[in-house]
Amino acid sequence: MVETGHFALVLAFALSLVQMLVPLYGARVGNLKMMAVGGPVAVTGFALTALSFAALASAYAGSDFSVASVWENSHSLQPLIYRITGTWGNHEGSMLLWVLILTFFGALVAVFGSNLPATLRANVLAVQGTIGAAFFLFILATSNPFIRLNPAPIEGRDLNPILQDLGLAIHPPLLYLGYVGFSICFSFSVAALIEGRIDASWARWVRPWTLVAWMFLTGGIAMGSYWAYYELGWGGFWFWDPVENASFMPWLAGTALLHSAIVMEKRSALKIWTLLLAILTFSLSLLGTFLVRSGVLTSVHAFATDPARGVFILCILTLFIGGSLALFALRASRLTAGGLFHPISREGALVLNNLFLTTATATVLVGTLYPLALEAVTGGKISVGAPFFDLTFGPLMLPLLAIVPFGPLLAWKRGDVLAAAQRLMAAFAAALVAVLVTALFIDGASVFAALGVGLAVWLLCGALTDLAVKSGLGNVAPAVVLSRFTGLPRSVFGTALAHLGLGLTLLGIVGTVSFGTEKILTMHAGETVELSGNTLRFEGLYPAQGPNYSEDRGRFLVIGTDGNAKGEISSAKRFYPVRQTTTTESGIRTIGFSQLYLSLGDEGNDGSVVVRLWWKPLVTLIWGGALVMMAGALMSLMDRRLRVGAPSRRRKPAGAAPAASAP
Amino acid sequence: MLFWVIAAILTLGASLAVLLPLAGGTKGASSAGEHDLEVYRDQLSELDRDVARGLIQPAEAEEARAEIGRRILRLGAAGQSGPAARRSSMATRLVATAAVLAVPLVSWGLYIKLGSPDLPSQPLTERLAKNPADSSVDELVARAEAHLAANPSDGRGWDVLAPVYLRLQRYSDAVSAYRNAIRLDGDSAARQAGLGEAIANAAGGIVSAEAQAAFEAALKQDPANAKASFYLAMGLAQEGRTGEATAAWQKMLAALPPDSPWRGAVEQALADTASKSAAAGAPANGPDAQAVDAAQQMSPQDRQAMIETMVASLDEKLKQNPRDVEGWMRLIRSYAVLGKADQARDALGRAIAAFGADSEEAKKFTAFAATLGLAATE
Amino acid sequence: MTRKQKRLSVIVAGLAFLAAATGLTFYALGQKASYFYMPGDLATATVQPGQRIRLGGLVEKGTIVRGQGATVAFSVTDKQKSVKVTYTGILPDLFREEQGVITEGSFGADGIFVADSVLAKHDERYMPKEVADGLKAKGVWQESKSQ
């Protein structure tokens, strides 16, 4: 089984070479048969990669220590779920997951792309095949997960205990679906540049892919943030760690791409922006892979450092980023300009949005790469952390957030800011009230906190205003409003939900950062502590035995105002003997949207223990907002417009179309 | 064999994926222009829906309709230049053949170089389910461990496993196994003495206070326990109380039955202590001390021969059981001391190979060898 | 304004915006980036009290003192010099004697480094990269001795 997986991987590499060359050549000489090769090869390549991945996963699940990567990163006593997720909890396996998802998307284009123009489809699959070939080669040459050990050791060296968590089951697959999903947009852009023309169906195709990738990336980042929050025991949800930035940059660029693609689809404008953003987004995804996988950064994600890998990925990076940008420089001028628009219009607002987002991406990029560049040039070591990003990223994002509600209310081509502002009066009033209430009635609220809350409320109400205006609230009869509301295109709901989610996330961040409280103290069993209206009693430390660890679990009772226990929080210090590692399992209790977060420190000699306690108001909104954003993306994806492609054989009579009601 | 069949089938499938589209007929592909037209038509119908729903003003809609109309006209002007199916030329036929052949050639060529086709999968449960007679000691231990992980309160299991750990030099595991056995099945002289021995060995042979307590507990259960008495005396010797140690050992010797396996050990310990006090601090200790003493009294040739036999037997032992860090270091040092640098390097290479080139052990070996003035030859 | 002028003004505004963002970025880099030092480097570098830096090295053996509540004092050393550090909070799980550590904070007037964050390695197999590089440069640490 293991060797079958290895063989399937090699075979998938061979097919990716064919996929890279034959359709491209076919498109060049106009040979339809050769162009048709791309589809079946992409599907077969995906099937083989899936087989290979299944073989590796079964080796992990069955603790086959004759496979070197299993021996390095697994242990037979781990629960089954962590033995399986351990498949991608290491460098080799995670790269295999990466290409699995890449070939999966390639296969999707092959299957659903039958209504694309033949040359475009062939070129897209060829570019996709090129990326695949490069990464298959990388895996086989430097990170082969199927290297065997003979004789096989009897026990493995265990998975890093920090990774023995459900988060590993969700975070990397979601993140990779996002990262790699952008490869489709990249392939479409490069294919368009190769052909020198952009088909009308181009934007129709790119937009849903962008939505899919963006949705998964949003989920992946949010999940990673929540995982770090509860697993690392520091109570922080974002550290501006270079690895986090590596996933955040494609998200920012991808968000710009998403908005750009709307204009492109509706108005055939912003072609250059869209192409460039598609290339940049995937380039940043690749850069993220390089930063994380090459070992230039130290972090939880750097599984093992090997200079050969770094050099290899750097070559891939240079090839794809350099190649695509060079092609862009050569061919972009050939693309015809699209519809014209006034600076003050929906298009103009989206251009402004792109400008802010790309600039914000650039500041994050500088903050992430500058320390590396400085060290390479002068040898000096600096770290760029939260203070830098607060000063640069913050001022860029605040005005952007402030203008978000205007965007959807402006008309295409030529908008009227005053009219939009009039419609937003209610939202503005609500935000003003929120600012005043926060400033006057909450103790210790700073000006920033009050403004932050106001901005969040502004975003929330702005999103709702958009829906209200579009259903004609106040202009037409209530019954009509209802029917209009239910008849709104799903992409309108998608926009509103995504902006609503943004507001929720902002509210969560402001709430946690501005109104959070914390306490560090030494507690003995029986003592109580009070934090922001919550009373906790420490019951004591109880030893327990897990499957592959032993732990001291500290139990705390949440005491209600009547003196009775309302619930329990427990936090534990776990010791994993195989790796001689201790981890802290934080204890969290969710109260409304807020959380009480507790983490154990060192034990004293007298049975006391250091306890760090946080009250995190509205913290769950940070990730809840991301879920709402994902729901918005999903909603947009279901819009009927995005399901239509090209010459369909069974079209309705032309006259019937206007009468057809929206789904 | 089955593997080769599967590999052949997979290769065939993959080659067909390339071959069939190249061999098959082509459906009349629609030109890019047709695709564009369809999109514009759809945009027009969407516009109509928006007007019907009152989302946009009729004037705006008219403007947008005109714009889409202009795009359609431009499309017509650009002309229908779909990809014309040409006759397959020599070059395209060549490319097609190369593509079909590349799949089996690249995959088999690479796999032969990278793969280990003869190595079967070895899932742990399968290995542990084998007939015990065919299993290695490691596998038996792993089986016992799996059993104990499932039934951690099986005191007898821990009792059986503990001495095995001790013999395998997994001292800290032996300590916890003995502790579990004592906790679950109660005190016994053998368990306490074993615990003491494990603690002492885990500390590199030093009889610590903790070990001493275990030995004393053993003696309380069985005052005649030889292991406990022996190690307690060893502890005295380590503290420098040689006289008391010697007295204790002599007392043991008098009390031990003539066929006791401990006789040899006690006699050797007595001889060690005696020679050590005679040599006043000569650095002779450990299990080889007596042998080294004997070697000092031999002729140089005999001594050399004896040492080489010892080294060879160690080498042989490591070939049987390569996962012995201490053993490898002893072997490397021995060869280095004997002046056999090549063999020392060879041993270093084998030691690194046994643990994998980037393992911690391998680094340890390299560092250790470096202190002896050796560099790994890789 | 003609269409051309309008277009020009949009471009100028965009460039001004970019220039402002660039300026801000470099100002922030100058102000907010914290430099990494090992104890031995502090003799030659001038670090003002209150200036934020990162201090890395090994936790010196036998210097960990737990004080009142959750305050801990220890020394960070690069085997040449050592610096006293105090920290209030929960130490990372992998914080141990003789292990690599990075602390972030600033010097107090009394020359004691007050850390507000302490990072140890994420995994027992690895040492923080900066510390490993620093120690290697000083010839104190070799790859093989990491365990």
Side-chain angles (χ1 to χ4, degrees), chain A residues 66 77 99 196 558 575:
Chain A
S66 69
L77 290 182
V99 289
V558 184
F575 179 68

Side-chain angles (χ1 to χ4, degrees), chain A residues 4-90:
Chain A
T4 308
H6 195 174
F7 185 78
L9 182 65
V10 174
L11 203 51
F13 168 61
L15 280 183
S16 71
L17 289 177
V18 173
Q19 189 187 337
M20 166 170 93
L21 298 170
V22 176
L24 189 67
Y25 181 76
R28 182 123 200 102
V29 301
N31 185 321
L32 281 173
K33 286 183 182 179
M34 284 194 174
M35 287 193 252
V37 166
V41 166
V43 174
T44 317
F46 165 62
L48 287 170
T49 317
L51 178 66
S52 177
F53 188 79
L56 187 67
S58 87
Y60 267 91
S63 296
D64 186 341
F65 298 121
S66 69
V67 180
S69 108
V70 179
W71 172 68
E72 283 270 0
N73 301 293
S74 190
H75 192 280
S76 64
L77 290 182
Q78 279 167 216
L80 181 64
I81 172 83
Y82 299 150
R83 292 211 304 274
I84 294 175
T85 57
T87 310
W88 55 83
N90 60 84

Side-chain angles (χ1 to χ4, degrees), chain B residues 19-33:
Chain B
L19 186 64
L20 287 182
L22 285 175
T26 47
K27 287 169 271 175
S30 43
S31 74

Side-chain angles (χ1 to χ4, degrees), chain A residues 2-3 11 29 33-34 44 62 64 76 115 148 152-154 200 204 265 267 413 487 640-641 646 651 662, chain B residues 17 22 24 32 35-36 38 42-43 46 49 53 63 67 86 92 107 111 116 120-122 124 127 139:
Chain A
V2 175
E3 288 304 312
L11 203 51
V29 301
K33 286 183 182 179
M34 284 194 174
T44 317
D64 186 341
S76 64
N115 54 7
R148 306 294 296 273
I154 196 70
R204 293 231 148 170
E265 193 215 333
R267 299 266 303 126
K413 281 185 100 170
R640 70 170 293 286
R641 204 164 26 131
R651 208 181 318 127
Chain B
L22 285 175
H35 287 267
D36 287 358
E38 180 66 19
D42 192 63
Q43 283 178 344
E46 185 196 334
R49 272 196 308 279
R53 224 180 284 124
E63 210 173 314
E67 186 179 303
R86 294 173 207 168
T92 55
S107 59
Y111 182 76
S116 333
S121 302
Q122 300 173 32
L124 197 63
R127 286 166 80 186
E139 282 169 351

